[in-house]
Amino acid sequence: MGFRTALSKGLLNMSEVKQELKAQVELFHELTGHLPPHMDGHQHVHVLPEVRHVFAEVLEEYGIKYTRVPIEPGLHNCDWIPPSLMDFYLGVEEDSFNTVDVFTRHGIRWPDIYIGLSTMGKNMSVSNIWSAIDTAVVEFTSKAPSPAHPTPQRTVTIELMVHPGYPSVPPVGGCGEGPDDFSQSWERLHELQTLIKPELQSHYKTRNVQLCSFKDL
């Protein structure tokens, strides 16, 4: 959140932001031997005003094709999300809508559907994941133009944002100044346990959902 505050006060130099982004890409390449097929920002900072432009420039420069545009269908109807958190999510959504044209101009792509805000942490369950997927697919297909000559249905791509793992124990873990409350909580383990449930895996097979990574797209 400190990054957002600094940006709102005009304290960030975008040339330094770009330098940092490039340094992270270079380090990733040094450590893995290849460029990342996908890149986004922690807490969705990559869609913030000003940042979105230098972020897009760096991705285009390195040929990184995919990013995240966190606009979740059905989010406004999720009454279980606390008001303060919903305000943050809606701010992210607005920034994302304003980012679409920027990313498009730079040839950057993203999945057809994004899900993850409504199913994060303690709100993750097999039923919630499928409800979010069903809502999103119905909305996406309803907006798709009807061709004059019907063709076989194309594959719809969905990004499900998840945070599986184990609770961090300070001072290890986290970003920057150590692990935040979410990183230290039981909710990360809850996500892990939900995502590996046989029930969820069975749903994938029944619904013809193929799990993949961005490099497979």
Side-chain angles (χ1 to χ4, degrees):
M1 294 305 128
F3 187 91
R4 284 179 160 80
T5 301
L7 178 65
S8 67
K9 293 180 178 180
L11 301 177
L12 296 182
N13 182 330
M14 286 303 115
S15 65
E16 293 180 354
V17 172
K18 187 172 185 177
Q19 181 181 358
E20 174 62 25
L21 286 168
K22 294 177 72 171
Q24 292 189 22
V25 174
E26 293 288 350
L27 180 58
F28 183 97
H29 183 264
E30 179 184 331
L31 293 172
T32 67
H34 61 84
L35 292 171
H38 161 273
M39 186 171 168
D40 62 42
H42 184 56
Q43 297 284 6
H44 315 291
V45 295
H46 65 297
V47 297
L48 289 172
E50 298 183 68
V51 177
R52 60 175 71 111
H53 295 280
V54 294
F55 176 82
E57 290 170 4
V58 170
L59 264 63
E60 183 177 28
E61 181 178 334
Y62 282 94
I64 300 171
K65 300 294 185 183
Y66 279 94
T67 189
R68 167 184 294 163
V69 176
I71 301 172
E72 180 168 345
L75 177 66
H76 296 239
N77 299 321
C78 299
D79 55 8
W80 58 85
I81 298 175
S84 58
L85 191 56
M86 180 62 84
D87 287 343
F88 172 67
Y89 288 168
L90 295 181
V92 170
E93 180 182 76
E94 181 180 2
D95 287 331
S96 298
F97 277 121
N98 293 330
T99 299
V100 167
D101 286 346
V102 176
F103 287 175
T104 300
R105 286 199 303 272
H106 287 272
I108 302 167
R109 303 172 63 187
W110 54 92
D112 298 314
I113 295 170
Y114 164 83
I115 294 170
L117 299 176
S118 66
T119 59
M120 179 175 165
K122 63 184 179 182
N123 293 321
M124 180 174 285
S125 66
V126 173
S127 60
N128 275 1
I129 290 173
W130 278 110
S131 176
I133 290 175
D134 287 342
T135 297
V137 169
V138 167
E139 181 173 318
F140 176 79
T141 53
S142 68
K143 291 180 179 179
S146 299
H149 304 286
T151 57
Q153 290 186 336
R154 74 171 183 83
T155 299
V156 176
T157 55
I158 302 173
E159 177 188 3
L160 174 61
M161 180 186 74
V162 296
H163 311 80
Y166 301 97
S168 300
V169 179
V172 178
C175 300
E177 298 176 352
D180 59 16
D181 291 342
F182 180 75
S183 182
Q184 297 176 60
S185 76
W186 58 270
E187 295 181 65
R188 296 196 63 199
L189 182 57
H190 171 71
E191 286 199 15
L192 173 61
Q193 293 169 338
T194 302
L195 291 167
I196 62 176
K197 283 187 175 181
E199 178 188 358
L200 184 59
Q201 309 305 313
S202 177
H203 269 303
Y204 290 145
K205 292 180 180 178
T206 303
R207 302 287 289 278
N208 197 29
V209 171
Q210 178 184 343
L211 297 180
C212 67
S213 66
F214 280 93
K215 64 182 176 60
D216 300 320
L217 299 180

